[in-house]
CSV table of all heavy atoms in Angstrom, one decimal:
chain,number,residue,atom,x,y,z
A,335,ILE,N,-145.7,-164.4,173.3
A,335,ILE,CA,-144.7,-165.3,172.9
A,335,ILE,C,-144.6,-166.4,173.8
A,335,ILE,O,-144.5,-166.3,175.0
A,335,ILE,CB,-143.3,-164.5,172.7
A,335,ILE,CG1,-143.5,-163.3,171.7
A,335,ILE,CG2,-142.2,-165.5,172.2
A,335,ILE,CD1,-142.3,-162.5,171.6
A,336,THR,N,-144.7,-167.7,173.2
A,336,THR,CA,-144.7,-168.9,174.0
A,336,THR,C,-143.6,-169.8,173.8
A,336,THR,O,-143.6,-170.9,174.3
A,336,THR,CB,-146.0,-169.6,173.8
A,336,THR,OG1,-146.2,-169.9,172.4
A,336,THR,CG2,-147.2,-168.8,174.2
A,337,ALA,N,-142.6,-169.4,173.0
A,337,ALA,CA,-141.5,-170.3,172.8
A,337,ALA,C,-140.8,-170.6,174.1
A,337,ALA,O,-140.7,-169.8,175.0
A,337,ALA,CB,-140.4,-169.6,171.9
A,338,PRO,N,-140.4,-171.9,174.3
A,338,PRO,CA,-139.8,-172.4,175.6
A,338,PRO,C,-138.8,-171.5,176.0
A,338,PRO,O,-138.7,-171.2,177.2
A,338,PRO,CB,-139.4,-173.8,175.3
A,338,PRO,CG,-140.4,-174.2,174.2
A,338,PRO,CD,-140.6,-173.0,173.3
A,339,TRP,N,-137.8,-171.1,175.1
A,339,TRP,CA,-136.7,-170.2,175.6
A,339,TRP,C,-137.2,-168.9,176.2
A,339,TRP,O,-136.6,-168.4,177.1
A,339,TRP,CB,-135.8,-170.0,174.5
A,339,TRP,CG,-136.3,-169.1,173.3
A,339,TRP,CD1,-136.8,-169.6,172.2
A,339,TRP,CD2,-136.3,-167.7,173.2
A,339,TRP,NE1,-137.3,-168.6,171.4
A,339,TRP,CE2,-136.9,-167.4,172.0
A,339,TRP,CE3,-135.9,-166.7,174.1
A,339,TRP,CZ2,-137.1,-166.1,171.6
A,339,TRP,CZ3,-136.0,-165.3,173.7
A,339,TRP,CH2,-136.7,-165.1,172.4
A,340,PHE,N,-138.3,-168.4,175.6
A,340,PHE,CA,-138.8,-167.1,176.1
A,340,PHE,C,-139.5,-167.3,177.4
A,340,PHE,O,-139.4,-166.5,178.3
A,340,PHE,CB,-139.9,-166.5,175.0
A,340,PHE,CG,-140.4,-165.2,175.3
A,340,PHE,CD1,-139.8,-164.1,174.8
A,340,PHE,CD2,-141.6,-165.1,176.1
A,340,PHE,CE1,-140.3,-162.8,175.1
A,340,PHE,CE2,-142.1,-163.8,176.3
A,340,PHE,CZ,-141.5,-162.7,175.9
A,341,ALA,N,-140.3,-168.3,177.6
A,341,ALA,CA,-141.0,-168.6,178.8
A,341,ALA,C,-140.1,-168.8,179.9
A,341,ALA,O,-140.5,-168.6,181.1
A,341,ALA,CB,-141.9,-169.9,178.6
A,342,ALA,N,-138.9,-169.2,179.7
A,342,ALA,CA,-137.9,-169.5,180.7
A,342,ALA,C,-137.2,-168.2,181.2
A,342,ALA,O,-136.5,-168.2,182.3
A,342,ALA,CB,-136.8,-170.4,180.2
A,343,LEU,N,-137.4,-167.1,180.6
A,343,LEU,CA,-136.8,-165.8,181.0
A,343,LEU,C,-137.6,-165.2,182.1
A,343,LEU,O,-138.9,-165.4,182.3
A,343,LEU,CB,-136.8,-164.8,179.8
A,343,LEU,CG,-136.0,-165.3,178.6
A,343,LEU,CD1,-136.2,-164.2,177.4
A,343,LEU,CD2,-134.5,-165.4,178.9
A,344,ASN,N,-136.9,-164.4,182.9
A,344,ASN,CA,-137.7,-163.6,183.9
A,344,ASN,C,-138.4,-162.4,183.3
A,344,ASN,O,-138.4,-162.3,182.0
A,344,ASN,CB,-136.8,-163.1,185.1
A,344,ASN,CG,-135.6,-162.2,184.5
A,344,ASN,OD1,-135.8,-161.6,183.5
A,344,ASN,ND2,-134.6,-162.1,185.3
A,345,GLU,N,-139.2,-161.8,184.0
A,345,GLU,CA,-140.0,-160.6,183.5
A,345,GLU,C,-139.3,-159.6,182.7
A,345,GLU,O,-139.6,-159.2,181.6
A,345,GLU,CB,-140.8,-160.0,184.7
A,345,GLU,CG,-141.8,-158.9,184.2
A,345,GLU,CD,-142.6,-158.4,185.3
A,345,GLU,OE1,-142.7,-159.0,186.4
A,345,GLU,OE2,-143.2,-157.3,185.1
A,346,GLU,N,-138.1,-159.2,183.3
A,346,GLU,CA,-137.2,-158.2,182.6
A,346,GLU,C,-136.7,-158.8,181.3
A,346,GLU,O,-136.7,-158.1,180.3
A,346,GLU,CB,-136.1,-157.8,183.5
A,346,GLU,CG,-135.2,-156.8,182.9
A,346,GLU,CD,-134.0,-156.3,183.8
A,346,GLU,OE1,-133.9,-156.9,184.9
A,346,GLU,OE2,-133.2,-155.5,183.4
A,347,GLY,N,-136.3,-160.1,181.3
A,347,GLY,CA,-135.7,-160.7,180.2
A,347,GLY,C,-136.8,-160.8,179.1
A,347,GLY,O,-136.5,-160.6,177.9
A,348,GLN,N,-138.0,-161.2,179.5
A,348,GLN,CA,-139.1,-161.3,178.4
A,348,GLN,C,-139.4,-159.9,177.8
A,348,GLN,O,-139.6,-159.8,176.6
A,348,GLN,CB,-140.3,-161.8,179.1
A,348,GLN,CG,-140.3,-163.3,179.5
A,348,GLN,CD,-141.6,-163.9,180.0
A,348,GLN,OE1,-142.5,-163.1,180.2
A,348,GLN,NE2,-141.6,-165.2,180.2
A,349,ALA,N,-139.4,-158.9,178.6
A,349,ALA,CA,-139.6,-157.5,178.1
A,349,ALA,C,-138.6,-157.2,177.0
A,349,ALA,O,-138.8,-156.6,176.0
A,349,ALA,CB,-139.7,-156.5,179.2
A,350,LYS,N,-137.3,-157.5,177.4
A,350,LYS,CA,-136.2,-157.2,176.5
A,350,LYS,C,-136.3,-158.0,175.2
A,350,LYS,O,-136.0,-157.5,174.1
A,350,LYS,CB,-134.9,-157.4,177.1
A,350,LYS,CG,-134.5,-156.3,178.2
A,350,LYS,CD,-133.1,-156.7,178.8
A,350,LYS,CE,-132.8,-155.6,179.9
A,350,LYS,NZ,-131.6,-155.8,180.5
A,351,ALA,N,-136.6,-159.3,175.4
A,351,ALA,CA,-136.7,-160.2,174.2
A,351,ALA,C,-137.8,-159.8,173.2
A,351,ALA,O,-137.7,-159.8,172.0
A,351,ALA,CB,-136.8,-161.6,174.6
A,352,ALA,N,-139.0,-159.4,173.8
A,352,ALA,CA,-140.1,-159.1,173.0
A,352,ALA,C,-139.8,-157.8,172.2
A,352,ALA,O,-140.1,-157.6,171.0
A,352,ALA,CB,-141.3,-158.9,173.8
A,353,LYS,N,-139.2,-156.8,173.0
A,353,LYS,CA,-138.8,-155.6,172.2
A,353,LYS,C,-137.8,-155.8,171.1
A,353,LYS,O,-137.8,-155.3,170.1
A,353,LYS,CB,-138.2,-154.6,173.3
A,353,LYS,CG,-137.8,-153.3,172.7
A,353,LYS,CD,-137.3,-152.3,173.8
A,353,LYS,CE,-137.0,-150.9,173.1
A,353,LYS,NZ,-136.5,-150.0,174.1
A,354,ALA,N,-136.9,-156.8,171.4
A,354,ALA,CA,-135.9,-157.2,170.4
A,354,ALA,C,-136.5,-157.7,169.1
A,354,ALA,O,-136.2,-157.5,168.0
A,354,ALA,CB,-134.8,-158.1,170.9
A,355,VAL,N,-137.6,-158.6,169.3
A,355,VAL,CA,-138.3,-159.1,168.2
A,355,VAL,C,-139.0,-158.0,167.4
A,355,VAL,O,-138.9,-158.0,166.1
A,355,VAL,CB,-139.4,-160.1,168.7
A,355,VAL,CG1,-140.3,-160.5,167.5
A,355,VAL,CG2,-138.8,-161.3,169.3
A,356,ALA,N,-139.7,-157.0,168.1
A,356,ALA,CA,-140.3,-155.9,167.4
A,356,ALA,C,-139.3,-155.1,166.6
A,356,ALA,O,-139.5,-154.6,165.5
A,356,ALA,CB,-141.2,-155.1,168.3
A,357,THR,N,-138.2,-154.8,167.3
A,357,THR,CA,-137.1,-154.0,166.6
A,357,THR,C,-136.5,-154.7,165.4
A,357,THR,O,-136.3,-154.0,164.4
A,357,THR,CB,-136.0,-153.8,167.7
A,357,THR,OG1,-136.5,-153.1,168.8
A,357,THR,CG2,-134.9,-152.9,167.1
A,358,LEU,N,-136.4,-156.0,165.5
A,358,LEU,CA,-135.9,-156.7,164.3
A,358,LEU,C,-136.9,-156.6,163.1
A,358,LEU,O,-136.5,-156.5,162.0
A,358,LEU,CB,-135.6,-158.1,164.7
A,358,LEU,CG,-134.9,-159.0,163.6
A,358,LEU,CD1,-133.6,-158.4,163.1
A,358,LEU,CD2,-134.6,-160.4,164.2
A,359,LEU,N,-138.1,-156.7,163.4
A,359,LEU,CA,-139.1,-156.6,162.4
A,359,LEU,C,-139.1,-155.2,161.8
A,359,LEU,O,-139.3,-155.1,160.5
A,359,LEU,CB,-140.5,-156.9,162.9
A,359,LEU,CG,-140.8,-158.4,163.4
A,359,LEU,CD1,-142.1,-158.4,164.1
A,359,LEU,CD2,-140.8,-159.4,162.3
A,360,GLU,N,-138.9,-154.2,162.6
A,360,GLU,CA,-138.9,-152.9,162.1
A,360,GLU,C,-137.6,-152.7,161.3
A,360,GLU,O,-137.5,-152.0,160.2
A,360,GLU,CB,-138.9,-151.9,163.2
A,360,GLU,CG,-138.9,-150.4,162.8
A,360,GLU,CD,-139.6,-149.5,163.8
A,360,GLU,OE1,-140.2,-149.9,164.7
A,360,GLU,OE2,-139.4,-148.3,163.7
A,361,LYS,N,-136.5,-153.2,161.7
A,361,LYS,CA,-135.2,-153.1,161.1
A,361,LYS,C,-135.3,-153.7,159.7
A,361,LYS,O,-134.7,-153.1,158.7
A,361,LYS,CB,-134.1,-153.7,161.9
A,361,LYS,CG,-132.7,-153.6,161.3
A,361,LYS,CD,-131.7,-154.2,162.3
A,361,LYS,CE,-130.3,-154.0,161.7
A,361,LYS,NZ,-129.3,-154.7,162.6
A,362,GLU,N,-135.9,-154.8,159.5
A,362,GLU,CA,-136.1,-155.4,158.2
A,362,GLU,C,-137.2,-154.7,157.4
A,362,GLU,O,-137.3,-155.0,156.2
A,362,GLU,CB,-136.6,-156.9,158.4
A,362,GLU,CG,-135.5,-157.8,158.9
A,362,GLU,CD,-134.4,-158.0,157.9
A,362,GLU,OE1,-134.7,-157.8,156.7
A,362,GLU,OE2,-133.3,-158.5,158.3
A,363,GLY,N,-137.8,-153.8,158.0
A,363,GLY,CA,-138.9,-153.0,157.2
A,363,GLY,C,-140.1,-153.8,156.9
A,363,GLY,O,-140.8,-153.5,155.9
A,364,VAL,N,-140.5,-154.8,157.6
A,364,VAL,CA,-141.6,-155.6,157.4
A,364,VAL,C,-142.8,-155.4,158.4
A,364,VAL,O,-144.0,-155.8,158.0
A,364,VAL,CB,-141.2,-157.2,157.4
A,364,VAL,CG1,-140.3,-157.5,156.3
A,364,VAL,CG2,-140.7,-157.5,158.7
A,365,ALA,N,-142.5,-154.8,159.5
A,365,ALA,CA,-143.6,-154.4,160.4
A,365,ALA,C,-143.1,-153.3,161.3
A,365,ALA,O,-142.2,-153.4,162.1
A,365,ALA,CB,-144.0,-155.7,161.3
A,366,LEU,N,-143.8,-152.1,161.1
A,366,LEU,CA,-143.5,-151.0,161.9
A,366,LEU,C,-144.4,-150.8,163.1
A,366,LEU,O,-145.6,-151.1,162.9
A,366,LEU,CB,-143.5,-149.7,161.1
A,366,LEU,CG,-142.6,-149.7,159.8
A,366,LEU,CD1,-142.8,-148.4,159.0
A,366,LEU,CD2,-141.2,-150.0,160.1
A,367,ASP,N,-143.9,-150.6,164.3
A,367,ASP,CA,-144.7,-150.3,165.5
A,367,ASP,C,-145.6,-151.5,165.8
A,367,ASP,O,-146.8,-151.4,166.2
A,367,ASP,CB,-145.8,-149.1,165.2
A,367,ASP,CG,-145.0,-147.9,164.7
A,367,ASP,OD1,-143.9,-147.5,165.2
A,367,ASP,OD2,-145.5,-147.3,163.7
A,368,ALA,N,-144.9,-152.7,165.9
A,368,ALA,CA,-145.6,-154.0,166.2
A,368,ALA,C,-145.4,-154.5,167.6
A,368,ALA,O,-145.8,-155.6,167.9
A,368,ALA,CB,-145.2,-155.0,165.1
A,369,GLY,N,-144.8,-153.7,168.4
A,369,GLY,CA,-144.5,-154.2,169.8
A,369,GLY,C,-145.8,-154.0,170.6
A,369,GLY,O,-146.7,-153.3,170.3
A,370,ALA,N,-145.9,-154.8,171.7
A,370,ALA,CA,-147.0,-154.7,172.6
A,370,ALA,C,-147.1,-153.3,173.3
A,370,ALA,O,-146.1,-152.6,173.4
A,370,ALA,CB,-146.9,-155.8,173.7
A,371,TYR,N,-148.3,-152.9,173.6
A,371,TYR,CA,-148.4,-151.7,174.4
A,371,TYR,C,-147.6,-151.6,175.7
A,371,TYR,O,-147.4,-152.7,176.3
A,371,TYR,CB,-149.9,-151.5,174.7
A,371,TYR,CG,-150.3,-150.1,175.2
A,371,TYR,CD1,-150.2,-149.0,174.4
A,371,TYR,CD2,-150.6,-149.9,176.6
A,371,TYR,CE1,-150.6,-147.7,174.9
A,371,TYR,CE2,-150.9,-148.6,177.0
A,371,TYR,CZ,-150.9,-147.5,176.2
A,371,TYR,OH,-151.3,-146.3,176.6
A,372,ARG,N,-147.2,-150.5,176.1
A,372,ARG,CA,-146.2,-150.4,177.1
A,372,ARG,C,-146.7,-151.0,178.5
A,372,ARG,O,-145.9,-151.5,179.3
A,372,ARG,CB,-145.8,-149.0,177.4
A,372,ARG,CG,-146.9,-148.0,177.8
A,372,ARG,CD,-146.4,-146.6,178.0
A,372,ARG,NE,-147.5,-145.7,178.4
A,372,ARG,CZ,-148.1,-145.0,177.5
A,372,ARG,NH1,-147.8,-145.1,176.2
A,372,ARG,NH2,-149.1,-144.2,177.8
A,373,ASP,N,-148.0,-151.0,178.8
A,373,ASP,CA,-148.6,-151.6,180.0
A,373,ASP,C,-148.9,-153.0,179.9
A,373,ASP,O,-149.3,-153.7,180.9
A,373,ASP,CB,-149.8,-150.8,180.4
A,373,ASP,CG,-149.5,-149.3,180.8
A,373,ASP,OD1,-148.2,-149.1,181.1
A,373,ASP,OD2,-150.3,-148.5,180.7
Side-chain angles (χ1 to χ4, degrees):
I335 300 175
T336 55
W339 67 266
F340 184 90
L343 300 174
N344 60 23
E345 186 175 342
E346 181 181 1
Q348 288 186 356
K350 289 180 178 179
K353 184 177 180 179
V355 171
T357 299
L358 187 54
L359 294 171
E360 184 159 343
K361 185 177 180 181
E362 287 289 341
V364 294
L366 307 180
D367 310 313
Y371 190 72
R372 61 179 179 267
D373 295 337

